[in-house]
Amino acid sequence: MTDPDRQLHHKVDAVQQLVLRLEEGVGQVSLQVAGVGQRTEEVNSQLQLLARSFEEYVLKAERTANAQRAETRIGVIEAQIEHRFGHYKVVRRVARGMLQGFDVGLVSDETLRDVGEQLMVETPGYWLAPVLVALQAWLADDQATCERAVQEAFHRSPGRTSLFMALILRRQGRGESSLRWLRHYLAALDPSDLGREFAVILESVSQGAFGPAGIEMVQERLDQWRAQLLSDPAREQAQIQRWRSELEKYVGPPVADRYPRLVAVSPQWPQMDRVLSRAAAHEALINRYSAMAVEEPAARARIEDQVDDILDLLVTGFDEEELPLSRDLAENHAIVKHGGDLAAARRDLDTDLLALDKRHDYLTTQSESALNPDKLGVSRATQRMAVSSCHEWFAQAHAQYSRDYRTELPADVEAVFESDHNLAGVAFRLPRWTGSFTRPIEALERSLAEHWDRAGRPFVDSLAYNWQRNLIAPGAVVLVLLLCGFAQPIMLVAALLVGAVWGGVLWYQAQNQAAVQQQARDFLERAKVDSIQQLRGGAAELADWTTAFRQADGREAAVRAVVADLATAGSPATPYERRVAHAGTRTGA
């Protein structure tokens, strides 16, 4: 071999080594690019998870701060209530003790007079203080002082004083005097602007505390008010809406964790979740009200005990000047109860705070007695009677509630598949596929599989080795060498060597690309199988959801039956006609 041939041979070998190393580098770069694509997806997922975690942390920190501020505020408000109205508690406790003194006679008139006069001085403006003076004067048969004290109490709070005297006289067996005070109280009332003490009237009716004549008088007046107020459709609609707001409290929790595949594939899931949660309210309503419909609240053995309970309700209830702080306290307690979630606390309070308003119309008082008995201080018997009076609003609100969530039922439940993938550094996007679950599942699976095949085939084909493009450069080099071979025969040998080397390199590249192509084919096949399994699982969960909804929605008729039972469950208790303690030893009032 001549020196030029040897030199050419060495150069060809060097070129071949360079080409092989270049090809290895290209293969490594391809693998690295694929790895980078996969890691990019992992990083994106981790970033999304981190973002969600950070948002949850911020939300949790914000709610914790809200709860802490509310706890601090609760302490401040309670201190303000104690400072401004703590002396009211003393008067109320003394009032209850003095009532007991009517029966047992263990406290001297002097002690009662001193206590009453002291509290009269210490609590200026409070209606109950002169009432205590009147009670002491009554015990001492001091009619003049009793009348002056009653007039002063009436001046401070006509409504509460009238009710108090009506109840005291009823307790002491002075039926006619009790009815005069009761008639005086009712005549002065505006049914569209009732104070909180009117809840005592409902309590008295439910307990039969005023006797048959008193119940008849009150019931006649209540019927007149009801007819008068219901002549305004807006007032009735307000009560229906109030009951509708109450029904919203019984909406069940989200159920997405029970149907994960359906959540993943169906865009209609948010509607379905709301509908099922709202249908679940029927069972909660049945549990809440069915016992009330059949129970018979036990009456107290003595009229004195019954009236004492009602008097306690009257004297211990919030006065109007206490209500702003009481509302503020309730708001902060709700924030603490819901762990600092202001929205949840507001939803809870939107209805509950109504019971802490100063004035209501008669219809609202009935609804609040039914829905917020604890905040008005009325008994279970009064709540039961109020629910019975409100059963028409309850029924209409429930019918609207059921109608509204049923209208949210999606007309068609669909499955949607659309996804992005990164394979060997090349992006693949599955075009959107939509199928209706009204079709047989076999047809849906077949359609989805064909969709994957149609979308994946061009992508896999695009990864095939392009012989035509990759042959241009080596072909041109070989052609040049061949042309030079006419002048120098050694160039023909070089052309053959270069062609062989380039042919080996191209074959190696083609094999690598074929492997990449097969990987893409296998990946798309697995993704197709996974999608079909998700579709199948979504169809199965849709069947479970349908069963659960039908069962929950089917309880709507049972709620209507309970409401119908409540309509006849609120008759007033049997009135007492027993002789009362020391009835013959008291003076008139």
Side-chain angles (χ1 to χ4, degrees), residues 202-209 215 298-299 306 310 379 381-382 572-576:
L202 301 180
E203 184 75 17
S204 301
V205 171
S206 71
Q207 305 292 356
I215 289 179
Q306 197 80 24
I310 299 172
S379 67
T382 301
T574 302
Y576 292 90

Side-chain angles (χ1 to χ4, degrees), residues 120-139:
M120 181 74 180
V121 173
E122 292 179 351
T123 54
Y126 188 35
W127 72 275
L128 192 55
V131 168
L132 299 184
V133 176
L135 289 177
Q136 183 277 327
W138 189 1
L139 286 171

Side-chain angles (χ1 to χ4, degrees), residues 239-254:
Q239 299 313 309
I240 295 173
Q241 186 58 43
R242 174 66 184 89
W243 279 85
R244 174 63 184 271
S245 298
E246 177 68 14
L247 297 183
E248 298 291 338
K249 294 183 178 180
Y250 295 89
V251 174

